[in-house]
Amino acid sequence: MRRLAFAAAAIAVAAGAGFWLLTGPDRLEASEIADVEAGDATRGETVFWAGGCASCHAAPGADGEARKELGGGLELATEFGTFVAPNISSHPEDGIGAWSEEDFLNAMMRGVSPDGRHYYPAFPYTSYARMDPQDVADLFAFMKTLPAVEGEAGEHKLGFPFNIRRGLGLWKALHLDSDHVLTLPANAPEELLRGRYLVEGPGHCGECHSPRDFSGGIKRDEWLAGAVSAEGDGVVPNITPGDDGIGGWSQSDIAFYLESGFTPDFDSVGGAMVSVQKNMAQLDDADRQAIAAYLKAVEARPDGYPSSR
């Protein structure tokens, strides 16, 4: 019995050590950011609006300049628990004002905090991993110009086992990579390449518009097919170019919707998309056209949510 106990203990220790090694945070390699220059705040403002930072981190309902006050607090209720968007203002204690550029790059592109903890993927680093590190550095430069907001946003409300952050190392091994979803030929138009970058990277459109599997990972074979909303009983619509999606919209219709909030049949934007559309309105028309070109190029798919929704 004593030998069995020792053997069981040894197996448990080995398993624990293996889990610890497999789930460790993976930071950017020095070579991946060696060419990053000092961030440019002017370029960073474009990245800020493309990335939708205000949609989650500004106060709900904020408008105008208040959308640049990133005190957090938005709650996202999911089947895994409720996630609370943190304060990412320039406040040195309650926000990210004390972070280095490298801290910010690792948070955005690897989902790792300055003190070495995994971030939950409610923070869409699975999309931001596709970004150009220089764009991330430019974004950080812009965010340092924004107001410092005092006060912490609050803690996530998660039960076991989802409150064990270390386990996210395994989740990242399954779902975190920088591969593009849409494969394009080498001679693809620059507009389409730009659209892919904006949609799959900073715009993180697939994070809300694609259904997820049992582990919370995006179903790439149902990319942009729509999903059950994380904010209630509704759905996030299918935005692929088929009969179930926006197949009846032209590229100009999509770009105009992103600029104005009006659909081709003169309906207006609603729900969580109101804030997203405000972000898109801040971009150059060329970027909105690029996004629209990408959405016309992806594969048409049936709705990714149950018909009962």
Side-chain angles (χ1 to χ4, degrees), residues 222-225 238-247 295 298-302:
E222 296 184 58
W223 181 246
L224 302 182
N238 183 335
I239 56 172
T240 67
D243 293 339
D244 289 342
I246 54 175
L295 293 178
V298 297
E299 184 177 345
R301 301 184 187 281

Side-chain angles (χ1 to χ4, degrees), residues 2-304:
R2 186 177 299 175
R3 289 178 181 176
L4 286 175
F6 280 133
I11 292 171
V13 169
F19 174 81
W20 191 257
L21 290 172
L22 290 171
T23 57
D26 180 21
R27 296 178 181 274
L28 290 162
E29 298 289 340
S31 60
E32 295 179 89
I33 54 177
D35 296 331
V36 174
E37 300 175 353
D40 181 285
T42 300
R43 293 197 304 261
E45 182 171 8
T46 296
V47 184
F48 176 83
W49 296 119
C53 309
S55 295
C56 285
H57 296 280
D63 203 6
E65 288 299 301
R67 302 187 76 231
K68 297 179 180 178
E69 298 174 6
L70 307 177
L74 178 71
E75 295 191 355
L76 295 173
T78 76
E79 60 187 298
F80 303 103
T82 299
F83 298 95
V84 181
N87 183 333
I88 58 167
S89 76
S90 58
H91 194 283
E93 287 86 32
D94 298 331
I96 62 173
W99 285 22
S100 69
E101 184 178 86
E102 186 173 347
D103 289 337
F104 190 71
L105 282 157
N106 276 293
M108 287 283 290
M109 302 184 72
R110 290 294 183 269
V112 179
S113 72
D115 62 0
R117 292 175 298 126
H118 292 297
Y119 283 122
Y120 287 99
F123 172 30
Y125 51 79
T126 49
S127 291
Y128 296 153
R130 302 186 183 101
M131 291 179 66
D132 182 336
Q134 185 62 57
D135 280 351
V136 179
D138 292 343
L139 172 61
F140 186 54
F142 175 71
M143 291 180 67
K144 288 193 291 186
T145 71
L146 301 183
V149 179
E150 188 174 0
E152 296 184 359
E155 297 293 327
H156 302 314
K157 303 163 188 175
L158 308 173
F160 181 82
F162 307 116
N163 58 348
I164 301 176
R165 286 180 183 257
R166 189 77 182 192
L168 286 167
L170 297 177
W171 188 92
K172 287 180 177 179
L174 293 173
H175 301 297
L176 178 60
D177 62 59
S178 58
D179 294 341
H180 292 297
V181 179
L182 178 63
T183 301
L184 294 174
N187 62 346
E190 184 59 37
E191 180 181 63
L192 192 52
L193 291 169
R194 176 66 174 169
R196 180 176 68 175
Y197 178 73
L198 290 170
V199 172
E200 296 187 9
H204 62 277
C205 306
E207 301 284 345
C208 289
H209 286 277
S210 302
R212 294 177 180 269
D213 62 24
F214 72 96
S215 70
I218 289 175
K219 295 181 178 179
R220 289 199 177 196
D221 58 349
E222 296 184 58
W223 181 246
L224 302 182
V228 173
S229 174
E231 299 177 22
D233 295 329
V235 298
V236 182
N238 183 335
I239 56 172
T240 67
D243 293 339
D244 289 342
I246 54 175
W249 294 27
S250 69
Q251 179 176 327
S252 296
D253 289 336
I254 298 169
F256 182 70
Y257 171 74
L258 296 175
E259 178 184 12
S260 68
F262 288 104
T263 69
D265 56 0
F266 303 105
D267 196 0
S268 58
V269 63
M273 190 64 192
V274 170
S275 179
V276 176
Q277 185 273 318
K278 288 180 179 179
N279 301 330
M280 296 294 102
Q282 300 294 324
L283 301 180
D284 291 340
D285 185 59
D287 278 345
R288 289 190 292 268
Q289 291 287 345
I291 292 169
Y294 174 90
L295 293 178
K296 296 297 290 183
V298 297
E299 184 177 345
R301 301 184 187 281
D303 290 336

